Amino acid sequence: MNLDEIFESYATKMTQLSLYQRAMNDIAKKELKQLVEYEQKFEEYPELKKYSSSLHNMVFRKAVDGQLFFYGQKELSVNERRISVFLHKNKQYQWLLAEAYEEYEDCIERLYAYAGFTNNDFWPLRDYGGITLSEIPAKDFSWFESQAINKKDAPASIVNKFREKFPLVKKIEEENELGVNLRLAMTTVEFLRHVIVHRGGEVQDKLAFKNLILKKSGLYNKGGMSEEHASFIDNFFGDGNYEKTIVLLEVRTNPEIPFDTHVNVLDTLFGYLMAHVHLIYESLKK
């Protein structure tokens, strides 16, 4: 696998994830539109209000005799159904972000495999494991990829190696035209992915969560965090009852005008992942 193929493969996978997001957004819009129409029917025919908008029964079959056992029932109002649409959409967005970060990890490992495969001096000796120097030239790309995947503390240790070999990577991570610290952005996505996978997208202690991110990013200065960095992480959480929940939904920018102008939060995070991979890809290419 050559360098361009590695990047193009990653770009293709990220393209598909972006298409999934757009499809989910379209479905949610249609559901919300149907709820508006349903609500208008209530206004037109008040006698319908006595009927349930949505009634759900939860059931399973008992292992002992196979008989049905009803364990829950939920009746939803139109407004509760509207909230459910947003919560479901957000849950889907969370999992798309988790998958995007895993694709990012895979690509970083392949880029590192390429670096070692094309230039054996790029890797430190410990990354080669228990083989002799004379055996290295005979190894194919898949062997290097396997070693990269199993590298201790990957992908962080791999990215650190790229920073060491390419000082420009470190410089642009900190100062770039995106106006964001890319090292902080990558670490934030990494920790968001962990919470999504292992805690259903909700943190227990938000302050501790931010401290962990900033410490790993090397931005926790003298026992404190800057307002700018804390605010960046807060962008990916909700308000009120959802202040500890990872929220990746679109944010309206001009609610006072009748046009759908918004910030696509998930797409912004996808862009940071793409930009970081592209930075390393371009450095290797040069």
Side-chain angles (χ1 to χ4, degrees):
M1 182 175 283
N2 65 42
L3 189 57
D4 289 335
E5 287 173 337
I6 293 171
F7 181 77
E8 288 167 8
S9 174
Y10 175 64
T12 298
K13 290 171 182 175
M14 292 297 290
T15 297
Q16 188 59 57
L17 292 177
S18 293
L19 291 174
Y20 286 151
Q21 183 212 2
R22 296 177 189 189
M24 291 170 186
N25 190 33
D26 287 342
I27 291 170
K29 284 181 178 179
K30 290 176 183 177
E31 291 180 4
L32 291 170
K33 182 180 178 181
Q34 289 173 353
L35 287 173
V36 169
E37 293 171 352
Y38 195 86
E39 207 164 29
Q40 289 172 344
K41 288 292 183 184
F42 277 165
E43 297 297 326
E44 188 176 351
Y45 303 101
E47 64 273 16
L48 293 177
K49 290 186 178 181
K50 64 182 179 180
Y51 299 105
S52 172
S53 168
S54 180
L55 181 63
H56 300 269
N57 292 312
M58 315 305 174
V59 62
F60 71 94
R61 290 188 179 276
K62 295 187 291 183
V64 174
D65 55 17
Q67 295 298 308
L68 294 178
F69 187 94
F70 289 85
Y71 66 93
Q73 185 181 76
K74 183 70 175 178
E75 185 175 353
L76 300 174
S77 67
V78 172
N79 190 53
E80 286 173 327
R81 289 175 64 184
R82 187 180 291 113
I83 293 171
S84 180
V85 170
F86 284 113
L87 292 176
H88 182 228
K89 177 183 172 184
N90 187 58
K91 183 66 69 174
Q92 291 175 316
Y93 278 19
Q94 287 178 356
W95 280 101
L96 286 179
L97 181 64
E99 188 171 346
Y101 182 74
E102 288 163 9
E103 294 293 354
Y104 163 82
E105 282 188 325
D106 291 346
C107 186
I108 290 295
E109 289 162 356
R110 289 193 188 99
L111 289 173
Y112 191 62
Y114 172 86
F117 179 61
T118 56
N119 177 8
N120 296 160
D121 292 333
F122 193 94
W123 283 18
L125 289 176
R126 62 179 176 274
D127 284 357
Y128 287 101
I131 66 170
T132 63
L133 293 176
S134 62
E135 294 176 284
I136 294 175
K139 299 299 182 182
D140 59 12
F141 179 84
S142 62
W143 182 88
F144 279 86
E145 186 174 12
S146 177
Q147 291 296 109
I149 291 170
N150 293 313
K151 180 174 171 60
K152 186 178 180 181
D153 297 327
S157 59
I158 291 175
V159 176
N160 282 335
K161 194 64 182 177
F162 283 132
R163 291 184 184 117
E164 176 190 325
K165 292 287 188 177
F166 305 124
L168 187 61
V169 168
K170 184 176 185 295
K171 181 180 179 181
I172 294 180
E173 280 181 332
E174 297 172 359
E175 297 179 15
N176 53 68
E177 294 300 316
L178 304 177
V180 65
N181 185 305
L182 277 175
R183 185 168 185 172
L184 173 60
M186 296 304 98
T187 308
T188 299
V189 177
E190 176 189 355
F191 277 73
L192 291 176
R193 178 259 173 205
H194 182 83
V195 173
I196 290 166
V197 172
H198 298 287
R199 292 202 50 80
E202 186 171 325
V203 298
Q204 286 182 306
D205 186 330
K206 194 173 175 182
L207 179 60
F209 178 78
K210 289 191 283 189
N211 284 339
L212 285 172
I213 291 174
L214 294 175
K215 285 176 181 177
K216 186 167 184 180
S217 303
L219 298 170
Y220 194 81
N221 299 319
K222 297 180 180 179
M225 66 178 76
S226 74
E227 184 177 338
E228 177 187 359
H229 296 146
S231 178
F232 175 81
I233 300 170
D234 284 334
N235 286 331
F236 311 111
F237 286 87
D239 299 319
N241 293 333
Y242 302 102
E243 66 176 352
K244 294 183 179 180
T245 301
I246 296 168
V247 176
L248 305 174
L249 300 176
E250 294 82 3
V251 178
R252 289 288 299 272
T253 54
N254 296 288
E256 70 281 359
I257 64 175
F259 301 107
D260 183 14
T261 57
H262 61 265
V263 174
N264 190 325
V265 177
L266 182 58
D267 192 59
T268 298
L269 290 174
F270 282 3
Y272 294 154
L273 292 170
M274 287 293 306
H276 198 244
V277 164
H278 187 262
L279 174 61
I280 294 171
Y281 158 74
E282 285 290 318
S283 298
L284 283 168
K285 203 168 187 179
K286 292 175 182 177

